[in-house]
Amino acid sequence: MNAPEAVYETSLKGLALKTRGKVRDIYEIDDSLMLIVTTDRISAFDVVLSDPIPGKGRVLTALSNFWFDRLRGAVQNHLCPAIRLDHIVSDESERAQLRGRAIVVKKLRPLPIEAIVRGYLAGSAWKEYQTSGIVCGIKLPAHLPQAGKLPETLFTPSTKADIGDHDRSISIEQTAALIGKDLGEQIRAVSLELYARAADYARQRGIIIADTKFEFGLDQAGALYWIDEALTPDSSRFWPADQYRTGISPPSFDKQFVRDYLESLRWNKRPPAPRLPAAVIAKTAEKYREAERRLTG
Ligand SMILES: Nc1ncnc2c1ncn2[C@@H]1O[C@H](COP(=O)(O)OP(=O)(O)OP(=O)(O)O)[C@@H](O)[C@H]1O
Ligand SMILES: [Mg+2]
């Protein structure tokens, strides 16, 4: 078996690099199109690690493409599948490196919020609930357990943090102040619908989608598009349904091994991050592949 070579960073001869995010390298194609390459970089505690997870970018791309297509009835998305990579990248070895991890997308204006939807009480919401009984301004019933299903699915938007900063959750009023009341309401409705449809499907595949984060953008005419990535282990909390129970933080299909490992060290969570042992890398890669297998296999 030959393991796929990891792609940590790309540099394409024929295209101008627009930005490098924590995970994605973005290239200009023309005024209206961009090439997004999902690399194998992984971030933990908002720090990009120096070790890639081989194949992770391909898994994220395959899962996003799967959900964008499956849920296209709910909202249009940024993909331009009709434009083939061969027409954008002429170098054969570059194309080989990009295969399965590059998408051509409409260049849109990203909205300055992250549309977070929560079906279960986990992560930062669980922390907030324990201290105040409130999650993002929403008063919840008393005595809900950790990882418990919420009585109602919550829409809890947050601001998009600048590099090195952490996202901050915001109220519906603050959301309206940032993007307008009507657009805020539209995003709320679309996000809840995407989550409901995806959670329903995933449940039949043995996965609970505890929560997820969507991003949206506008075109020149002001039309709304779903952008970035779609319901991946990087943007969502996926729990294997057969291991689900309340009162604990259930195991998940994401960078949990990486986080657990880093938590076991004395690291102040500022760059540079410690190197990862090979076993942690292999286990994490396997978790990502398993999520893809279960959802799309
Ligand atoms: N169609 C699009 N038009 C314009 N910008 C987009 C589009 N799709 C995605 N983006 C932006 O491209 C970037 C993707 O890169 P990446 O995922 O590495 O971002 P990041 O925000 O730095 O990382 P993280 O997701 O870990 O917060 C995001 O800033 C996202 O908003
Ligand atoms: Mg991102």
Side-chain angles (χ1 to χ4, degrees):
M1 204 185 84
N2 52 353
E5 221 175 285
V7 173
Y8 189 75
E9 200 173 272
T10 61
S11 83
L12 305 177
K13 288 185 282 266
L15 294 174
L17 183 70
K18 185 175 151 72
T19 47
R20 247 191 252 289
K22 289 197 281 288
V23 173
R24 295 175 176 79
D25 292 348
I26 304 180
Y27 294 86
E28 298 275 0
I29 297 176
D30 58 29
D31 284 350
S32 59
L33 299 174
M34 324 188 288
L35 186 76
I36 298 187
V37 181
T38 304
T39 70
D40 293 330
R41 294 195 291 273
I42 186 167
S43 69
F45 309 110
D46 282 332
V47 176
V48 180
L49 308 188
S50 54
D51 294 291
I53 305 297
K56 171 177 178 280
R58 286 211 177 90
V59 168
L60 297 187
T61 304
L63 269 173
S64 289
N65 289 347
F66 169 80
W67 289 117
F68 278 135
D69 183 53
R70 190 174 177 87
L71 301 173
R72 66 182 186 277
V75 62
Q76 62 193 338
N77 62 64
H78 67 168
L79 295 180
C80 302
I83 300 168
R84 303 207 12 227
L85 198 59
D86 318 29
H87 299 151
I88 309 288
V89 177
S90 54
D91 186 281
E92 175 51 45
S93 68
E94 286 188 351
R95 279 207 301 270
Q97 187 192 36
L98 300 183
R99 205 150 283 141
R101 60 172 78 244
I103 52 171
V104 177
V105 304
K106 291 195 173 68
K107 195 188 285 180
L108 299 160
R109 190 158 58 82
L111 293 172
I113 66 157
E114 315 216 314
I116 299 169
V117 179
R118 302 172 185 278
Y120 292 76
L121 193 51
S124 62
W126 165 241
K127 275 197 191 134
E128 202 191 339
Y129 175 76
Q130 280 176 288
T131 56
S132 64
I134 292 174
V135 172
C136 303
I138 302 157
K139 178 84 189 152
L140 295 178
H143 310 303
L144 295 176
Q146 180 179 19
K149 192 174 195 315
L150 290 161
E152 210 180 322
T153 306
L154 299 183
F155 176 64
T156 62
S158 77
T159 58
K160 277 174 83 168
D162 292 327
I163 285 177
D165 206 359
H166 297 280
D167 300 344
R168 248 185 306 274
S169 78
I170 51 174
S171 65
I172 292 293
E173 292 73 30
Q174 288 167 303
T175 306
L178 277 172
I179 62 173
K181 192 163 183 292
D182 289 352
L183 189 55
E185 190 39 56
Q186 189 186 1
I187 283 171
R188 185 186 124 88
V190 167
S191 301
L192 289 172
E193 182 181 350
L194 290 175
Y195 174 80
R197 289 171 60 168
D200 199 42
Y201 170 84
R203 194 65 191 76
Q204 297 164 36
R205 298 292 183 115
I207 288 182
I208 293 172
I209 304 180
D211 50 40
T212 193
K213 173 196 86 176
F214 302 112
E215 290 192 38
F216 297 96
L218 301 179
D219 69 8
Q220 304 255 318
L224 185 71
Y225 286 79
W226 182 9
I227 66 167
D228 202 52
E229 61 183 325
L231 293 144
T232 72
D234 274 12
S235 66
S236 324
R237 203 172 257 113
F238 289 163
W239 292 332
D242 53 359
Q243 290 170 59
Y244 169 73
R245 59 192 173 84
T246 60
I248 57 162
S249 174
S252 64
F253 283 99
D254 63 0
K255 19 184 158 174
Q256 179 158 326
F257 288 114
V258 171
R259 284 201 216 94
D260 289 351
Y261 171 72
L262 293 172
E263 291 276 26
S264 76
L265 308 174
R266 269 188 301 163
W267 172 49
N268 63 5
K269 302 193 176 131
R270 291 170 186 283
R275 300 292 307 265
L276 297 177
V280 172
I281 293 173
K283 248 179 152 179
T284 303
E286 172 49 27
K287 277 289 156 195
Y288 276 84
R289 284 196 301 268
E290 191 187 341
E292 180 190 358
R293 220 170 23 241
R294 284 217 203 180
L295 288 168
T296 71

